[in-house]
Amino acid sequence: MGLTVFVVGGGGREHALAWKIAQSPLVSKLYAAPGNPGIARHAECVPVSVEDLQGLRDFAVSKRADLTVVGPEAPLSAGLTDLLAREGLLVCGPDRAGAQMEGSKVFMKTILSRYGIPTASFRVFDEYDEAEQYVLTHRLPVVIKADGLAAGKGVSVAQTYEEGVTFLKDVMERRVFGDAGNRVVVEECLPGEEASYIVFTDGHKVVPLPSSQDHKRIGDDDQGPNTGGMGAYSPAPVVTPSVEERVHREIFDPLLSGMRKEGITFRGILYAGLMIENGVPRVLEFNVRFGDPEAQPLFLRLKSDIVPLLLQCAQGRIQDAGMEIDPRPTVCVVMSSGGYPGSYGKGFPIEGIEEAEKEDGVVVFHAGTARRDGRLVNNGGRVLGVTAIGDTLRGAIDRAYRAVGKIHWEGAYHRTDIGRKALRRGVA
């Protein structure tokens, strides 16, 4: 008998995970909760919400899951790993203590500061008046972050004092992000170019995936409000071999050592959001799970079986650090509902996915989709991640956008410039 694997989540990242895990000869049964119509092609989906920790625990116990892989950050921060571990189940994902690296920006920044890990200078506030006074005297632009989880939207890079104060009021007075806004971090705005760097870790060793770059803002040329991510590509040319070496030496090595000193052995996925200027990497943020949409292009490049590494992270002993990576670049273009990240309509029929996937080297990952009366419809802000591999970055971009052009629903939106920063760097 092979392994029974349980994937928690129902977004694009979890579809990419299910797609990759299903390819493993080690796996005989794959479940997902709650899943989505795309995930249902690879796994048996069960109607349990990611917020229902007891329900997730009961299901994993009932199936005696050999491995649970937690996709989103919220159940990790809420302690799902701790619950499952008490039942003797293996989980790829940190416990509640480790998940604070994403669940609390104050905790994360404090750890970085304590162990000399390069990041922006910052101050923490739990009173609105003090935070406002500080923002109004800070050099522009100024970065303001809600402390807790806010689905990637709890950050403002304020270009004016008015913009900064408005966001601060949204967070601390209007409570747009609920308890996530009990405290804020105000920090300097780092110059440079962003990149994502994601590793598997058992708390001691790290096994890195290739570099990637997310596109956070809704509009072309990084205009408009932040989103959960409108596209990504891999590799990111700003992460040169020398930058990568510094990332390990100056960021991951002292971080894992420092966390162990704090009594935390981190097992799972660590995602460093980096700002790189003149070959010097500094940390913008840490996440405790695979990126979304970065997972989609990264898994398209990962040729080796992902399951052994997920298991070794969960067991706390990475042994075989080898990963076979396709040298060809990959691109993911996110198609979203019109109006996202604000209000948007749901329930519009989606056409053309089958035609898009006939494009050579293209996989369409589902994020915010659902079945209604037998038809596939949009059911979220970010709906699809159209992902392509090509011999060159330009080739991958062209393939992805050809596939995007075949998919339609009322109000569908996408950025048109995913990967352009790499092309400007002279990458073919």
Side-chain angles (χ1 to χ4, degrees):
M1 282 292 290
L3 298 171
T4 296
V5 179
F6 180 32
V7 173
V8 174
R13 163 187 48 225
E14 289 77 33
H15 185 182
L17 267 169
W19 173 80
K20 190 65 188 169
I21 290 168
Q23 297 169 22
S24 173
L26 302 174
V27 176
S28 61
K29 187 64 183 178
L30 180 59
Y31 296 98
N36 65 39
I39 293 171
R41 291 157 59 181
H42 316 287
E44 181 179 331
C45 295
V46 293
V48 184
S49 163
V50 297
E51 297 165 356
D52 181 4
L53 299 196
Q54 302 301 327
L56 294 168
R57 183 198 65 179
D58 292 347
F59 182 81
V61 168
S62 73
K63 300 300 180 184
R64 295 309 301 172
D66 297 297
L67 174 66
T68 297
V69 184
V70 185
E73 61 274 17
L76 291 168
S77 292
L80 179 59
T81 295
D82 309 68
L83 271 181
L84 295 177
R86 283 199 285 271
E87 302 292 340
L89 299 177
L90 282 176
V91 187
C92 184
D95 60 16
R96 193 170 189 168
Q100 291 179 95
M101 283 301 290
E102 180 168 2
S104 170
K105 294 180 180 65
V106 173
F107 177 86
M108 181 266 293
K109 294 288 287 191
T110 302
I111 290 287
L112 297 186
S113 176
R114 186 173 295 162
Y115 294 101
I117 296 163
T119 188
S121 61
F122 70 101
R123 288 273 303 275
V124 176
F125 298 93
D126 54 17
E127 297 290 342
Y128 172 80
D129 289 344
E130 291 179 16
E132 181 191 62
Q133 185 177 7
Y134 184 74
V135 166
L136 290 173
T137 57
H138 198 285
R139 186 178 62 187
L140 293 172
V142 59
V143 181
I144 305 167
K145 300 178 178 179
D147 175 43
L149 297 177
K153 304 182 190 79
V155 178
S156 173
V157 182
Q159 303 294 331
T160 67
Y161 292 119
E162 182 183 16
E163 193 180 334
V165 169
T166 298
F167 183 76
L168 201 58
K169 284 182 177 174
D170 281 346
V171 174
M172 301 192 81
E173 293 195 334
R174 300 185 190 105
R175 311 294 289 177
V176 168
F177 305 112
D179 288 346
N182 288 342
R183 293 186 294 180
V184 296
V185 174
V186 181
E187 60 183 41
E188 67 172 321
C189 184
L190 295 177
E193 185 174 338
E194 286 191 48
S196 304
Y197 199 80
I198 300 170
V199 304
F200 299 82
T201 182
D202 59 5
H204 297 267
K205 294 181 184 175
V206 300
V207 179
L209 282 160
S211 62
S212 57
Q213 187 175 82
D214 187 13
H215 297 62
K216 280 269 191 270
R217 293 184 180 270
I218 189 66
D220 284 3
D221 297 317
D222 297 326
Q223 298 298 307
N226 271 339
T227 71
M230 292 303 296
Y233 65 91
S234 174
V238 70
V239 183
T240 62
S242 63
V243 167
E244 193 166 6
E245 192 273 330
R246 290 187 69 157
V247 168
H248 284 269
R249 187 181 74 247
E250 300 174 11
I251 296 171
F252 281 103
D253 290 350
L255 175 67
L256 291 174
S257 171
M259 290 180 78
R260 292 194 303 271
K261 289 174 184 172
E262 302 288 328
I264 299 170
T265 300
F266 190 102
R267 296 178 179 180
I269 309 304
L270 264 176
Y271 160 149
L274 304 172
M275 185 64 83
I276 300 162
E277 185 187 33
N278 299 324
V280 178
R282 291 199 276 178
V283 175
L284 290 173
E285 63 177 358
F286 266 104
N287 297 320
V288 298
R289 35 69 189 184
F290 293 109
D292 188 349
E294 294 98 328
Q296 290 88 307
L298 287 172
F299 292 167
L300 211 57
R301 293 188 67 200
L302 180 58
K303 295 174 75 172
S304 47
D305 191 342
I306 197 173
V307 171
L309 261 174
L310 296 171
L311 272 171
Q312 289 172 27
C313 287
Q315 292 163 340
R317 55 175 190 272
I318 289 178
Q319 297 159 321
D320 177 12
M323 273 199 297
E324 189 180 358
I325 301 296
D326 195 313
R328 294 177 295 168
T330 49
V331 175
C332 173
V333 178
V334 170
M335 299 184 72
S336 67
S337 298
Y340 174 79
S343 59
Y344 50 85
K346 297 181 182 180
F348 299 116
I350 301 171
E351 307 288 349
I353 291 178
E354 285 186 14
E355 283 302 307
E357 290 199 309
K358 289 177 183 174
E359 188 78 40
D360 188 38
V362 168
V363 181
V364 179
F365 294 108
H366 291 230
T369 65
R371 291 257 175 223
R372 297 277 187 271
D373 301 322
R375 301 193 72 178
L376 187 72
V377 300
N378 73 313
N379 193 48
R382 294 185 299 160
V383 180
L384 299 171
V386 182
T387 309
I389 191 165
D391 292 331
T392 64
L393 181 65
R394 169 59 73 189
I397 291 170
D398 289 346
R399 274 182 179 172
Y401 279 108
R402 276 198 303 272
V404 165
K406 296 176 180 179
I407 300 172
H408 308 281
W409 72 90
E410 187 176 327
Y413 169 81
H414 63 272
R415 280 180 60 161
T416 66
D417 65 341
I418 305 303
R420 190 180 293 166
K421 285 180 185 174
L423 295 177
R424 286 181 185 145
R425 285 181 169 268
V427 175

